[in-house]
């Protein structure tokens, strides 16, 4: 009777491990989709917006007026091809598809397919039908860009 060779024994050990890993699916993926927030839809972000930013809360009202004045050259947020929205990220002129994400702390974020609160995300601080307020999660980007006010253009 022939004894199985080393390759056959290695396959006998490795095959169950490979199959077990396959059955885990996306649970091991570092880019697993973060849950969508309740109460906020991507349609709330879609539209034409005037944008301005502030660094201190006392400047917020003035900044909203400045954002409204930017409606002559609005920033357009459109639907992305995969249930997200097309927006820019910090320090990049290219448009990317970003998603709304619910953080475990109840906060809402906009960003890439990654866990909510990723440094490249924006935190959605407030939302009404006509005004969005967001800030970058990354402290350096937030320091440079401040808190964004988006005012819907009519």
């Amino acid at each position: 009777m022939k004894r199985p060779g080393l390759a056959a024994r290695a396959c006998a050990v490795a095959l169950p491990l490979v199959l077990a890993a396959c059955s885990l699916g996306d649970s091991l993926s570092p880019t697993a989709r973060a849950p969508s927030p309740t109460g906020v839809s991507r349609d709330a972000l879609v539209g034409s917006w005037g944008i301005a930013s502030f660094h201190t809360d006392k400047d917020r009202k003035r900044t909203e007026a400045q954002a409204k004045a930017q409606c002559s050259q609005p920033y357009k947020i459109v639907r992305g091809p995969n249930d997200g929205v097309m927006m820019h990220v910090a320090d990049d002129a290219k448009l990317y598809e970003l998603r709304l994400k619910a953080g475990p702390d109840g906060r809402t974020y906009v960003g890439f397919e990654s866990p909510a609160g990723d440094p490249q995300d924006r935190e959605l601080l407030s939302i009404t039908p006509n005004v969005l307020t967001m800030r970058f999660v990354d402290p350096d980007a937030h320091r440079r860009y401040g808190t964004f006010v988006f005012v819907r253009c009519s």
Side-chain angles (χ1 to χ4, degrees), residues 41-63:
S41 73
R42 75 173 175 164
D43 291 334
L45 302 179
V46 171
S48 296
W49 301 91
I51 301 177
S53 69
F54 63 91
H55 285 88
T56 60
D57 251 359
K58 68 181 177 72
D59 295 330
R60 182 184 173 124
K61 276 292 183 207
R62 179 178 53 81
T63 304

Side-chain angles (χ1 to χ4, degrees), residues 4 9 23 30-31 40 45 64 67 71 73 82 90 111 120 143 152:
R9 282 185 278 172
S23 69
T31 59
V40 180
L45 302 179
E64 285 182 21
C71 283
Q73 295 179 328
N82 298 304
Q120 289 189 317
R143 181 184 50 74
R152 191 175 298 277

Side-chain angles (χ1 to χ4, degrees), residues 48-57 59-71 75 77 87 122-126 128 130-136 145-153:
S48 296
W49 301 91
I51 301 177
S53 69
F54 63 91
H55 285 88
T56 60
D57 251 359
D59 295 330
R60 182 184 173 124
K61 276 292 183 207
R62 179 178 53 81
T63 304
E64 285 182 21
Q66 289 174 334
K68 185 69 176 168
Q70 295 299 314
C71 283
Y75 179 78
I77 300 175
M87 294 181 72
R122 288 186 182 109
E123 181 183 357
L124 185 56
L125 301 172
S126 67
T128 68
N130 294 316
V131 179
L132 304 173
T133 308
M134 291 189 239
R135 68 172 191 85
F136 285 108
Y145 293 108
T147 301
F148 287 93
V149 175
F150 294 69
V151 175
R152 191 175 298 277
C153 302

